[in-house]
Amino acid sequence: MKTRIAIIGAGVVGASIARVLSQYEGLEVHLIERNVDAGMGVSKANTGIIHPGHEDDPEKHPLRAKLCVEGNRLWYQWTKELRIPAKWPGELMVALEEEDIKVAEYYLELAQKNGVPGVRLVDREELLRLEPNVNPNAAGALWAPTAGVMSSPMAAVALTENAVDNGVKFHPETEVRGIKVENGEVKGVETNRGFIEADIVINAAGLYADRISAMAGIDHFTIRPRKGEYYIFDDDAGPKVRRIVHQTPTPTTKGVYVITEMNDGVMIGPTAEDLPEEAKDDTSTTREGLEFVWEMAKKLVKGLPPRSRVIRTFAGLRPEPPDGRWIIEAYDDPWGFINVAGIRSPGLTAAPAIAHYVAEELIKGKLDVKLTKKSRWNPYRNAFWFKALPREKQAELVKENPSHGRVICMCRTITEGDILDAIARMKKMGVRTITLDGVKLRTGVTGGTCQGSFCRVRIANIIARETGVPLWKVSIKGEGTEYGIGDIKVLLRGEEE
Amino acid sequence: MRSEYDVVVIGGGPAGLAAAIKAKELGLNVLLIESREFLGGIPMQCVHPGFGIHYFKEDLTGTEFIHRIIERFRELDIEYYTNAHVLEVAPYSYRHKILRIVTEEGLFEVAAKTVIYAAGARERHMFEIGITGHRVAGIYTAGEAQTMMDIYGVMPGKEIVIVGSGDVGLIMARRFTLEGAKVKAVIELMPYPGGLTRNVVQCLEDFGIPLYLSHAVTRVEGKRRVERVIVTKVDEKLRPIPGTEESIECDTVVLAAGLVPYLKVIEKAGVEIDPVTRGPVVNSYLETSVPGIFVAGNALVINDLVDYVVEQGEEAAMGAYEFVKNGGLPALKWRKLVKGRNIRLAVPHYLADTKDVTIYARVGEPEENVRLRFPEIGKEIRLPFVKPSEMIRVKLKREEIARAKDRITMEVVRDE
């Protein structure tokens, strides 16, 4: 008999768990997601940093400290296997004032305790050699060479796609309404699309993990949203930084980061603003938040690109548990229920390690489920982007299929072939509604200089053609976000609604 | 596709088509590359009149105007590709540029003696004009909304707020109204409308659409789609004044907040950029700082009239002809065009006394009863008014340019 597992939430944490579980025999894994696609919640909007692992005190947060260091190592392998765009430029924690050096020294100590390789202090002179755009008055920095940057929105969809390829069933647009418990044991999950039987339910519902947990009767915690606002500049706007640059944390602020993100644009942010519990969907930017980021970033680096070169501002929400403590637990009552809740920073970094921890320590250890590796498990995802291929390969592709020769997103050089490939992958993964955001997450279209004003209509048109939906009804991110309201004469005919 | 051309034109809109036609008429062999699936560029989505008054001496719609140009282009049997994208323009030598092009038929590398870049402009979007709030459905640039409506037949929304009162914003206000939508307001940052008075009257006043001057949309709110915008008064430095916020219910925001030359490809080739026009720095042949790369149309400077765009395309073609004929432009003494009082921008940036030149300029502030003056060459033109929204187009003769030693100042002076 198979052990049935339901994972609630296809963010980077839930999808990582699904991927890890997909390598074992005898499991039937269901990945349940409220949104139209994987990675549309917390995972969609963050700094995308793979932390080196020296920011947690192993005495205060032992699990977090351990899983972050492990997660960093695992991502190095996972990003390659899954073709998630990533780079590893290392990180400089900059001491702006002389007294901040003490703070940097404290983190050096944590790095030693956590076993983070390569971390050391650098003086001003070396700092400016490593990173000429840093504030020349900075006192020095802590250098952590293992830090990386990745395309975090791409991560959750890549993980889910690979999990599905290995037998996991993905249920998008499926909202959990209850968790069935009988005789102190978990029996399954009630959803808007019916009942999903399960022997084990894993709650990885991000900002909503408190509500899901309460459905299983565990209601001793709440998750509060913490907002982070960001700017991204155009890919050719400088000055840039080569490494990940941030400020030594202070009791009041962790400071903002200045990085060069995966698409080569400088990114600055985030803020850290605690919102009330009910504001779990408030991803709006604010004038105050953005001004704060600007001022902080200006202290960190000598120069920012001009404001006129900003191509996007955005805000994301991070789940903040009580006392900042991750809640990763399997319970006796109800037996079979596992919380992976309140996964605040460095949750993105730790996700692969969290997934292994859940499988090995909780499912195998605590719940005593036998885990046997499949003889055949495919760790790879064969994604490609036309622009990243060598010229000969590009020429071959165009010859095979002319759609690869049609560049649709000019700012980012994304072809119709790339878009068709993304749509096919979405269908195969089990996505019900092919959305503009889904295509954006997978290809990068509309994320460049023009933010889609040239190409969005053309992409919507391709989606309409491939899915048989009228153009106006193609949605940005699901119901209520349709591209238009009808054909051009809809209002004149008086057929509203 | 052959492997070497006298001129490769990038962009199949009015500037590019006009450049290709002129170049062909001058006897050059020409290749034109267009990224969209059809020729014609932006006029293809302009079903309103106001095109061609100078060039054809007739008031045409955008589509009628471009149809005539495309007809002429077809008659000349000029080689062209649609759905084609230029990945790179590499200045290989003074005489040759190597272009890497991807099309449905394959990848090509071609050499060109000259390149005319006429890829137009992009629209400014909400993130670069300081609009905060929710990123929801129902936010479009004017060009996107126009393409949706007039090329793909889709209605963007019902209750609309337009940001920007330039001609594009004004014309879109009328267009939406004629399709049955309610335009709730047009919001303008400056204390005066950005478009022609004629358009303010015909597109707003005639339909009772309110125009908010000295206001900005500072925030968009909504859960899935736009539900309202927050509009704030601005002070004389264009900063929002706290406490003046007002909410307007709507389901759609259309941004007509201006255009920026779209230069990705030639910027990488190393052309120098004018920070004010955000287009390339050019001489009177419309040649950029990379010899043999010419530029025309909205990629050069944001124009008000398609007639000017076509004129620039032809001018660039004549420049390319000179370049091809002589193996490069002759060594010349260039006079710098200096922006004097109330001149915000002016192109070309360098003038020589080898040919007459047309100068396109914009003022910084509106003024009445002024003179446009070129002190070094003793030229003055009386103007009843100047406005930032209306381009000044003025010709300097080669003899006039010859009178200046090393600079020619252009300035607006008051008439007293």
Side-chain angles (χ1 to χ4, degrees), chain A residues 256-269:
Chain A
V256 306
Y257 281 83
V258 177
I259 70 168
T260 301
E261 46 89 58
M262 281 314 302
N263 290 294
D264 285 342
V266 173
M267 179 162 103
I268 61 175

Side-chain angles (χ1 to χ4, degrees), chain A residues 439-455:
Chain A
V439 173
K440 178 180 180 176
L441 286 188
R442 287 166 178 82
T443 59
V445 286
T446 76
T449 315
C450 88
Q451 289 290 306
S453 53
F454 283 130
C455 62

